[in-house]
Amino acid sequence: VQLQASGGGLVQAGGSLRLSCTASGRTFGSYAMAWFRQAPGKEREFVAAINRSGGSTYYADSVKGRFTISRDNAKKTVYLRMNSLKPEDTAVYSCAATAGYGSSWPTTVYDYDYWGQGTQVTVSS
């Protein structure tokens, strides 16, 4: 599966953005999806994940209550709605897909098989 992320930009602190990640192929609904981010000089970190049906989600503590991950399998798209943005949210955001995972949520880069290119999110103070 190929993934294409979009929706990044420059926003003031307290503002909102919605990222989108659209997949090619016919098996989008077979993948759990996630968003990761990487700030300059830092490791890529997990942000949020959603299961195949969209009925279950999981968030990093740093974004819980501010970000919402969702998906539309008919449109082969996963979204990340980001509210109350902070300067520390500034990073390149990437979407990822995994065909299989166990009983615990996949939250490391090694858990994911496919990656989209990143989209830059910059939050000014």
Side-chain angles (χ1 to χ4, degrees), residues 3-120:
L3 304 173
Q4 179 78 32
S6 62
L10 173 64
V11 63
Q12 288 188 327
S16 298
L17 279 175
R18 189 181 79 159
L19 306 182
S20 299
C21 174
T22 301
S24 64
R26 295 178 289 181
T27 58
F28 179 72
S30 300
Y31 296 92
M33 301 295 297
W35 288 94
F36 285 75
R37 66 187 182 185
Q38 187 168 21
K42 294 188 176 181
E43 297 282 326
R44 185 174 290 185
E45 66 171 358
F46 170 80
V47 175
I50 190 166
N51 69 347
R52 297 179 182 92
S53 68
S56 186
T57 57
Y58 185 75
Y59 298 91
D61 287 343
S62 59
V63 307
K64 201 174 295 182
R66 299 188 298 122
F67 291 11
T68 302
I69 188 171
S70 61
R71 68 189 294 164
D72 184 334
N73 285 349
K75 295 183 178 179
K76 300 179 186 178
T77 302
V78 62
Y79 304 97
L80 185 69
R81 176 68 179 182
M82 305 184 294
N83 295 329
S84 302
L85 282 161
K86 305 174 182 180
E88 51 264 44
D89 294 318
T90 295
V92 175
Y93 285 71
S94 301
C95 54
T98 181
Y101 55 97
S103 57
S104 59
W105 281 97
T107 60
T108 77
V109 297
Y110 306 104
D111 293 322
Y112 290 85
D113 308 301
Y114 304 97
W115 292 84
Q117 95 295 350
T119 184
Q120 176 71 47

